[in-house]
Amino acid sequence: MTSGSLPPFPFRNAAHDRLCERRGDEEFLDTAWTDSATRVLVMRGWDLALGDGEGSLRLVSPQDAPPGERMLLGAVDGTAYFLVIVADPPSPEGGGNDGANAETVATGKIDDPTQGWPFGSLRQVAGRLDDVQASLAVHAVSLTGWHLRHPRCSLCGAETEVASAGESRTCPSCGAQHFPRTDPAVIMLVVDADDRCLLGHNSARAPGWYSTLAGFVEPGESPEQAVVREVKEETGVDVADVGYAGSQPWPFPSSLMLGFFATASTTDIVVDGTEITEARWFTRADVKHEVESGELVLPTTISIAGALITSWYGDDLPASRS
Ligand SMILES: [Zn+2]
């Protein structure tokens, strides 16, 4: 298996121009915002505003957009796209402010055009979005998540302000600039000399669920080193020949999944017993038989894990008959 051999998975294709050079251009931003052709993607907390039909985002004109924090996502074929983050609806007790500014919340109480709109998580809809909407949505969710989770300066503790159309936050107290962060994680498909595949059962999952091993890259560590370390820690298996397979933004909340293939130099398994409670070597026949019988459940989600396993399996993964 080589780099670039993965089957399709969500968020793989960048389909919008991020217009990085326009983020500080107030004239452009104001002009684009008055153009009725401009489209606005709306988020409330971590959820996206959805269309009335299945599997699409609700993209409205600036005139129909609710009040909230406005950010530039970019453009597709000459149409500008913005993100507006609205506050959570106030709870009956009067709480519910998730970090957006109080003025926005107050405005939203008076006239909330999002009332009645369906909202849903990116996980729910990712598999049904086309490339353009998936590209905009993963950008919007990543950006929103960072803003919601970083309202204060990490140096002095003061409340920070959105800058450069959402590209960063600045601290009015100490002047620090803060940029969105992404946490690199490795996810790897390990095979042995007999071309069996190593999959692990995560303790947080239901019995019978197995997937590729994964873990965060530590400070000062390369992704390749992280692959070797994580496989050893979680299963006791030594690996060599670590090769890059592909990547996937994974904003749940802020990861970048770096996919790898790796070859095992040992096969004895000793699981860590905490994160990974079971791990096994699977032949393709094992996978087919056990998935069809319902004993084995593989990741059928939107994650790159499914693409890595499918790439090794060599065909569409079998479906359960139970
Ligand atoms: Zn500060």
Side-chain angles (χ1 to χ4, degrees):
M1 290 177 286
T2 58
S3 175
S5 64
L6 294 182
F9 52 87
F11 319 141
R12 191 181 198 185
N13 301 318
H16 69 289
D17 178 346
R18 292 174 176 246
L19 297 181
C20 306
E21 73 285 2
R22 296 289 206 178
R23 289 171 183 160
D25 184 342
E26 294 299 332
E27 188 180 342
F28 166 81
L29 295 169
D30 289 343
T31 302
W33 190 254
T34 58
D35 184 345
S36 60
T38 291
R39 284 294 169 264
V40 182
L41 184 158
V42 179
M43 291 198 65
R44 170 175 281 146
W46 287 87
D47 287 341
L48 296 151
L50 304 179
D52 293 323
E54 282 273 305
S56 64
L57 304 176
R58 179 180 296 267
L59 295 166
V60 299
S61 69
Q63 292 72 32
D64 293 331
E69 203 74 75
R70 186 184 85 185
M71 301 179 188
L72 179 67
L73 291 175
V76 181
D77 296 333
T79 299
Y81 285 84
F82 284 86
L83 160 69
V84 165
I85 305 172
V86 297
D88 278 330
S91 72
E93 291 76 32
N97 187 344
D98 61 2
N101 68 63
E103 192 178 337
T104 299
V105 175
T107 310
K109 279 180 187 172
I110 297 164
D111 180 18
D112 181 3
T114 68
Q115 272 186 356
W117 291 10
F119 282 80
S121 72
L122 181 59
R123 282 181 190 269
Q124 276 176 265
V125 299
R128 306 197 295 267
L129 300 178
D130 63 25
D131 274 355
V132 169
Q133 292 207 353
S135 183
L136 293 166
V138 73
H139 185 182
V141 172
S142 302
L143 198 56
T144 299
W146 177 72
H147 282 286
L148 292 181
R149 286 156 51 91
H150 295 84
R152 289 182 176 276
C153 178
S154 56
L155 298 179
C156 76
E159 287 187 14
T160 50
E161 298 167 348
V162 175
S164 299
E167 180 191 26
S168 62
R169 300 184 74 91
T170 54
C171 176
S173 177
C174 76
Q177 250 190 314
H178 300 281
F179 291 91
R181 56 176 287 179
T182 301
D183 304 320
V186 290
I187 182 163
M188 44 276 180
L189 191 288
V190 181
V191 296
D192 71 358
D194 296 324
D195 207 18
R196 296 181 302 172
C197 158
L198 178 63
L199 300 177
H201 171 71
N202 188 296
S203 57
R205 296 286 187 159
W209 188 94
Y210 280 79
S211 186
T212 48
L213 304 173
F216 286 106
V217 179
E218 294 202 337
E221 186 178 48
S222 74
E224 290 82 357
Q225 291 164 352
V227 170
V228 173
R229 177 184 52 75
E230 284 285 342
V231 175
K232 183 71 172 179
E233 280 179 9
E234 293 183 347
T235 65
V237 170
D238 293 318
V239 299
D241 297 329
V242 177
Y244 181 66
S247 65
Q248 183 185 38
W250 194 246
F252 309 110
S254 55
S255 298
L256 174 64
M257 305 305 291
L258 303 167
F260 288 88
F261 299 119
T263 306
S265 53
T266 65
T267 55
D268 288 346
I269 292 173
V270 182
V271 294
D272 65 18
T274 50
E275 187 176 351
I276 299 296
T277 49
E278 292 172 64
R280 282 177 49 197
W281 293 102
F282 289 85
T283 65
R284 291 178 181 78
D286 291 336
V287 167
K288 180 174 172 54
H289 170 74
E290 293 183 31
V291 168
E292 287 179 348
S293 70
E295 295 166 69
L296 172 63
V297 179
L298 296 175
T300 54
T301 65
I302 55 176
S303 151
I304 192 175
L308 287 165
I309 298 170
T310 302
S311 177
W312 161 80
Y313 189 73
D315 199 354
D316 288 344
L317 293 174
S320 173
R321 288 175 182 163
S322 60

